[in-house]
């Protein structure tokens, strides 16, 4: 290609070379971009998959991986539609961590963005999970109407898509909602339904969470002894699934139970386990409650020094959490204020965008209508063409059938005429045989014993009869040819149907087809009557003809 370029005039060389180099640079850049997108896509998938694997066992590391994956998507992959749904999944997982840190405003923002992304890409199966997480946030804020609204949405979607896991989670949260509304009978009903369904699917995580929520309900009702089996079962399931978050919460709840039941040493052991796990998970939002539990337990033992030390820790972490909560409320209020201000400014822009969306929708609708009309016209054309082709085929079939019937009729007439000729020739042949026999008798009787004068007269009479016989012989000379012409197709068909028949046996079949007698066949083939009868028996056996059916009739009906 380059050698061809150098053959061009100098002015054209520069232009062509410039275009050629530009193409190379563009292709290299495009390849580099595609390669980078592939690498980033692979990184996101690896980070997300690994985060889900360790989200319960190592929540700190799982959160980091999710944040890294989100950063890559926001920086390099937002133009790739398939990663919008991945971003939605990551946002709702991060909302879970934000909620555990009491950062409810940020968590709600993540969940709202996740909902928008899912609606944009048409994802509906996992919407129930997002609504359920949103309901959990509103429950922490004691916004019970908003909690119920989101739970109702989650429950309807879980039923619609037969998502049994989400159904179980929603039933448990219905129970927590109703216990906050002081509707304890209804709350207990929902909790027990959740446990029953979790057992039916034998899902360990769901068994753990549903038993844990019901145990919490029982503790609120001061039914501490009743709550222990459910709490212990929850802890067992968390251990089997290596759910460190669930285990930490379970140890703390069991510590609360044993302290109330007057077992402070056991309570302290469990509180220490929970405290160590909270610090490892860097979950500062719950540290104050763990220190308070230890302080109260040592006070029960009258070890006031340690009780005071742990109470100081409790106060420190409680003030930190309280300040963070107040700060978060201020941030939420400020965000709401800015949002209200911006709404007025953006209203016109929103209206314009809405109008553009409507115009695009109208254009798409018009396109769809046009495509539908074109489809109908195409289908109608196909139907018309099909009808014409079918009618042409039917007419050609009728014409071919009529031609076939005419040819068959003419052929039958020709065959019938030839058969009549053959029968006449056979009759003449019979007469010839009779004449020869009569001639032989006259030679023996009349001529051998007559006078010379009578012999001459007898010879003249015999001469006349011989002339007539010669004419009959000439007619019989074409007998075999006519038989062959009539039986041409019959012999071919007979050979196909009964390949065991010999050529002589097929010739006899052809004569039987003409309804000739044994004597006539014997004369034509110049064989004895026994030979003809023997051949008839062999033919009947090879054709497998029952004894009650006439051989001649069977052969005549073959064609």
């Amino acid at each position: 290609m380059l050698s061809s370029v150098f053959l061009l005039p100098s002015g054209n060389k520069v232009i062509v070379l410039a275009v050629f180099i530009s193409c190379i640079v563009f292709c290299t850049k495009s390849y580099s971009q595609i390669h980078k997108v592939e690498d980033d896509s692979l990184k996101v998938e690896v980070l997300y998959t690994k985060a889900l694997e360790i989200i319960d066992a190592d929540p700190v590391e799982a959160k980091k991986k999710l944040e890294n994956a989100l950063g890559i998507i926001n920086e390099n992959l937002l133009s790739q539609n398939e990663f919008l749904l991945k971003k939605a999944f990551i946002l709702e997982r991060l909302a879970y961590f934000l909620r555990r840190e009491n950062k409810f405003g940020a968590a709600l923002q993540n969940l709202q963005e996740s909902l928008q992304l899912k609606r944009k890409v048409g994802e509906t199966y996992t919407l129930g999970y997002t609504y359920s997480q949103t309901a959990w946030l509103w429950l922490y804020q004691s916004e019970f109407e908003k909690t119920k609204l989101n739970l109702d949405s989650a429950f309807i979607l879980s039923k619609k898509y037969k998502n049994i896991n989400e159904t179980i989670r929603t039933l448990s949260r219905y129970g927590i909602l109703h216990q906050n509304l002081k509707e304890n009978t209804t709350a207990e009903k929902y909790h027990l339904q959740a446990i029953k369904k979790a057992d039916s699917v034998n899902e360990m995580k769901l068994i753990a969470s549903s038993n844990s929520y019901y145990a919490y309900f029982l503790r609120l009702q001061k039914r501490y002894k009743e709550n222990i089996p459910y709490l212990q079962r929850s802890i067992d399931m968390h251990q089997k699934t290596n759910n460190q978050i669930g285990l930490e919460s379970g140890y703390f709840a069991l510590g609360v139970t044993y302290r109330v039941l007057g077992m402070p040493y056991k309570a302290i052991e469990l509180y220490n386990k929970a405290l160590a796990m909270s610090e490892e998970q860097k979950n500062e939002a719950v540290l104050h409650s763990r220190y308070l539990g230890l302080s109260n337990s040592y006070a029960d033992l009258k070890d006031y020094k340690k009780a005071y030390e742990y109470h100081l820790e409790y106060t420190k972490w409680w003030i930190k959490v309280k300040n963070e909560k107040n700060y978060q409320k201020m941030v939420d209020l400020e965000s709401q204020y800015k949002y209200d201000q911006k709404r007025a400014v953006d209203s016109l822009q929103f209206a314009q965008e809405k109008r553009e969306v409507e115009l695009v929708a109208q254009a798409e609708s018009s396109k769809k209508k046009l495509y539908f009309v074109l489809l109908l016209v195409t289908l109608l054309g196909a139907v018309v063409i099909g009808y014409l082709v079918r009618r042409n085929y039917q007419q050609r079939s009728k014409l071919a059938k009529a031609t076939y019937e005419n040819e068959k009729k003419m052929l039958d007439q020709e065959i019938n005429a030839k058969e009549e000729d053959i029968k006449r020739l056979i009759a003449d042949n019979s007469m010839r045989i009779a004449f020869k026999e009569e001639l032989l008798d006259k030679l023996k009787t009349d001529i051998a014993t007559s006078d010379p004068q009578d012999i001459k007269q007898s010879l003249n009479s015999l001469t006349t009869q011989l002339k007539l016989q010669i004419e009959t012989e000439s007619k019989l000379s074409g007998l075999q040819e006519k038989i062959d012409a009539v039986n041409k197709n019959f012999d071919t068909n007979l050979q196909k149907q009964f390949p065991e028949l010999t050529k002589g046996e097929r010739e006899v079949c052809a004569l039987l087809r003409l309804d000739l007698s044994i004597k006539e066949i014997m004369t034509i083939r110049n064989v004895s009557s026994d030979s003809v009868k023997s051949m008839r028996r062999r033919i009947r056996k090879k054709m497998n003809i029952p004894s009650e059916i006439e051989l001649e009739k069977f052969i005549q009906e073959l064609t």
Side-chain angles (χ1 to χ4, degrees):
M1 181 177 175
L2 287 173
S3 60
S4 302
V5 171
F6 286 111
L7 296 175
L8 296 171
S10 59
N12 293 338
K13 283 180 188 176
V14 175
I15 296 171
V16 173
L17 284 172
V19 171
F20 181 70
I21 292 169
S22 299
C23 289
I24 293 175
V25 171
F26 175 76
C27 292
T28 304
K29 187 176 180 182
S30 299
Y31 174 78
S32 177
Q33 289 175 343
I34 292 169
H35 190 64
K36 189 175 188 314
V37 167
E38 290 177 351
D39 286 346
D40 289 338
S41 302
L42 184 60
K43 286 178 184 176
V44 168
E45 290 296 338
V46 171
L47 287 168
Y48 180 73
T49 304
K50 187 62 178 175
L52 292 187
E53 288 176 0
I54 63 173
I55 197 166
D56 295 324
D58 191 353
V60 176
E61 186 62 26
K63 183 183 177 185
K64 285 182 183 178
K65 291 185 183 301
L66 289 172
E67 288 171 341
N68 290 339
L70 183 62
I72 294 172
I73 291 175
N74 286 336
E75 186 177 351
N76 301 322
L77 298 174
L78 276 183
S79 59
Q80 309 292 318
N81 286 333
E82 60 267 27
F83 280 93
L84 293 180
L85 185 57
K86 186 70 70 181
K87 181 179 179 180
F89 291 153
I90 293 173
L91 284 170
E92 61 191 13
R93 294 291 180 180
L94 287 173
Y96 163 72
F97 290 110
L98 290 168
R99 173 173 60 80
R100 293 183 70 247
E101 296 167 8
N102 292 330
K103 297 176 182 177
F104 303 115
L108 182 60
Q109 187 177 351
N110 274 17
L111 291 173
Q112 287 174 339
E113 187 176 354
S114 177
L115 278 173
Q116 290 172 357
L117 290 171
K118 286 183 180 182
R119 289 182 182 130
K120 184 175 181 179
V121 300
E123 166 64 23
T124 54
Y125 181 78
T126 59
L127 272 179
Y129 178 79
T130 317
Y131 281 122
S132 180
Q133 295 300 315
T134 305
W136 202 233
L137 286 176
W138 288 122
L139 187 63
Y140 273 87
Q141 304 299 317
S142 298
E143 293 280 358
F144 300 132
E145 288 186 10
K146 292 180 181 178
T147 301
K148 186 176 186 308
L149 182 65
N150 282 277
L151 283 178
D152 288 344
S153 299
F155 191 71
I156 290 168
L157 286 167
S158 70
K159 286 292 187 182
K160 179 179 179 181
Y161 295 109
K162 297 180 180 177
N163 188 341
I164 187 65
N165 291 3
E166 197 55 53
T167 301
I168 294 167
R169 274 193 290 266
T170 308
L171 286 171
S172 288
R173 286 170 186 176
Y174 269 133
I176 297 170
L177 171 64
H178 285 285
Q179 71 195 35
N180 276 273
L181 294 171
K182 311 300 182 187
E183 298 170 356
N184 296 324
T185 303
T186 305
E188 187 164 18
K189 180 190 75 173
Y190 278 118
H191 282 306
L192 292 173
Q193 282 182 5
I195 290 172
K196 185 178 179 181
K197 282 191 176 292
D199 288 338
S200 70
V201 296
N202 198 27
E203 175 62 44
M204 284 190 285
K205 287 186 177 182
L206 293 172
I207 291 171
S209 61
S210 58
N211 278 271
S212 174
Y213 290 139
Y214 183 49
Y216 176 61
F217 167 78
L218 292 172
R219 290 196 301 278
L220 289 178
Q221 303 303 307
K222 302 189 185 303
R223 295 156 61 181
Y224 292 102
K225 288 185 178 179
E226 286 183 58
N227 112 98
I228 292 175
Y230 295 99
L231 197 51
Q232 191 60 57
R233 191 179 184 209
S234 174
I235 290 172
D236 291 342
M237 293 297 156
H238 285 316
Q239 286 175 336
K240 287 179 181 178
T241 57
N242 194 24
N243 186 340
Q244 296 299 305
I245 295 174
L247 264 179
E248 188 277 333
S249 179
Y251 288 145
F252 173 72
L254 201 55
V256 171
T257 300
Y258 284 127
R259 178 180 172 265
V260 172
L261 293 174
M263 299 183 233
Y265 288 109
K266 207 161 188 178
I268 289 170
E269 180 188 349
L270 291 163
Y271 282 142
N272 279 321
K273 280 186 178 181
L275 181 62
M277 295 178 76
S278 298
E279 290 172 343
E280 185 181 352
Q281 296 166 17
K282 297 181 181 179
N283 188 5
E284 296 179 355
V286 300
L287 287 177
H288 66 282
S289 60
R290 281 41 174 173
Y291 280 118
L292 180 61
L294 282 168
S295 177
N296 290 333
S297 296
Y298 279 109
D300 293 339
L301 294 170
K302 302 190 185 306
D303 187 346
Y304 297 111
K305 182 181 178 182
K306 284 191 176 181
Y308 177 69
E309 289 173 0
Y310 282 119
H311 196 275
L312 287 176
E313 290 293 323
Y314 155 72
T315 304
K316 180 181 75 174
W317 288 105
W318 170 245
I319 291 171
K320 190 173 187 296
V321 170
K322 188 177 180 182
N323 287 339
E324 285 182 355
K325 285 184 177 179
N326 290 332
Y327 175 75
Q328 191 62 44
K329 286 180 181 178
M330 290 174 66
V331 171
D332 292 343
L333 288 171
E334 185 180 9
S335 299
Q336 184 64 36
Y337 173 71
K338 288 181 179 179
Y339 172 72
D340 290 337
Q341 281 187 321
K342 201 169 184 300
R343 280 181 66 183
V345 177
D346 292 345
S347 59
L348 292 175
Q349 182 182 351
F350 176 75
Q352 178 64 26
E353 290 176 354
K354 185 178 179 182
R355 177 61 182 160
E356 289 176 0
V357 170
E358 288 175 353
L359 289 173
V360 171
Q362 289 175 3
E364 290 295 327
S365 178
S366 300
K367 277 185 183 178
K368 288 179 181 177
K369 288 180 182 177
L370 177 61
Y371 293 152
F372 182 69
V373 171
L374 290 174
L375 178 62
L376 286 179
V377 171
T378 304
L379 290 174
L380 183 62
V383 170
V384 171
I385 292 170
Y387 170 75
L388 293 175
V389 169
R390 186 170 182 273
R391 190 176 68 174
N392 182 49
Y393 172 77
Q394 288 176 338
Q395 289 177 346
R396 289 174 62 186
S397 297
K398 288 180 180 178
L399 180 62
K401 188 176 181 181
T403 303
Y404 168 76
E405 293 292 338
N406 290 334
E407 290 178 354
K408 184 174 181 296
K409 186 176 180 181
M410 293 173 63
L411 184 62
D412 289 343
Q413 290 175 352
E414 183 179 348
I415 289 172
N416 290 334
K418 287 183 178 181
E419 285 181 352
E420 291 297 325
D421 288 344
I422 290 171
K423 288 178 179 179
R424 283 196 299 272
L425 289 172
I426 289 171
D428 289 343
N429 185 49
S430 299
M431 291 172 61
R432 177 173 65 85
I433 293 170
F435 169 76
K436 286 181 178 179
E437 290 175 348
E438 184 181 348
L439 178 62
L440 182 62
D441 289 338
K442 283 188 177 184
L443 287 172
K444 289 179 179 180
T445 56
D446 294 349
I447 295 177
T449 58
S450 297
D451 295 333
Q453 188 66 30
D454 294 332
I455 288 172
K456 184 178 180 180
Q457 186 177 357
S458 297
L459 287 173
N460 288 334
S461 174
L462 286 172
T463 301
T464 303
Q465 290 180 10
L466 283 171
K467 285 180 180 180
L468 292 172
Q469 186 62 30
I470 288 169
E471 290 179 4
T472 301
E473 292 282 352
S474 64
K475 291 179 182 179
L476 289 171
S477 64
L479 176 62
Q480 188 61 44
E481 292 179 3
K482 290 181 180 292
I483 290 172
D484 291 342
V486 171
N487 291 318
K488 183 177 181 181
N489 292 331
F490 174 76
D491 185 70
T492 303
N493 293 333
L494 196 64
Q495 193 171 0
K496 287 180 181 179
Q497 292 184 53
F498 304 101
E500 294 181 0
L501 294 174
T502 63
K503 183 178 178 182
E505 289 167 348
R506 291 199 305 273
E507 289 175 355
V508 171
C509 287
L511 295 172
L512 289 172
R513 178 171 173 266
L514 297 173
D515 204 17
L516 300 184
S517 64
I518 292 176
K519 186 176 180 181
E520 291 168 338
I521 294 171
M522 177 186 71
T523 303
I524 292 171
R525 290 186 59 80
N526 194 24
V527 293
S528 65
S529 62
D530 290 338
S531 177
V532 175
K533 289 177 182 179
S534 176
M535 196 171 290
R536 280 171 58 92
R537 286 194 296 272
R538 289 199 302 275
I539 290 169
R540 178 181 286 275
K541 184 176 180 181
K542 289 181 180 181
M543 287 186 171
N544 197 22
I545 303 171
S547 58
E548 64 270 12
I549 297 177
E550 292 183 8
L551 178 62
E552 290 83 352
K553 186 177 180 182
F554 180 83
I555 292 172
Q556 288 166 5
E557 290 178 351
L558 278 178
T559 56

